Amino acid sequence: MLQEKRHDLDAEKRKELVQRLVVELSRLGGDLYYQPTSQIALQIRQYVDGDAKLTAEEKALLAPLSQRDIEVLLSLH
């Protein structure tokens, strides 16, 4: 049960983190509104792998996510 709560908490943190990265990318690179979700997910993955200033915990949360996983998180918003 504790492990399940931990998983839910991590999932919620991932969603919030992905949304924060969308805001950061919008500020850096312009309008993401009309771009396909797959393109935004790719940009997030590249940003995370490159210039994003993330804590060790944030990096650990995003490390196991594929581009497709990020697309799913974006679609849940």
Side-chain angles (χ1 to χ4, degrees):
M1 177 138 175
L2 185 60
Q3 217 171 19
E4 188 176 307
K5 287 184 179 184
R6 170 74 181 178
H7 178 71
D8 291 344
L9 180 61
D10 285 349
E12 196 58 38
K13 285 181 179 179
R14 281 185 184 107
K15 282 192 274 187
E16 290 174 11
L17 182 54
V18 166
Q19 290 306 314
R20 189 187 92 202
L21 292 172
V22 168
V23 171
E24 286 179 24
L25 281 173
S26 292
R27 287 183 188 147
L28 292 173
D31 190 18
L32 299 177
Y33 188 79
Y34 292 106
Q35 292 187 23
T37 305
S38 60
Q39 183 63 32
I40 296 170
L42 175 63
Q43 288 182 40
I44 289 172
R45 173 56 44 207
Q46 291 172 338
Y47 185 54
V48 166
D49 293 340
D51 296 336
K53 295 186 180 25
L54 301 172
T55 65
E57 179 186 3
E58 291 170 335
K59 288 179 184 179
L61 281 171
L62 294 176
L65 298 182
S66 68
Q67 180 180 338
R68 178 68 181 137
D69 295 332
I70 295 171
E71 287 178 44
V72 171
L73 287 175
L74 289 170
S75 70
L76 295 175
H77 177 54

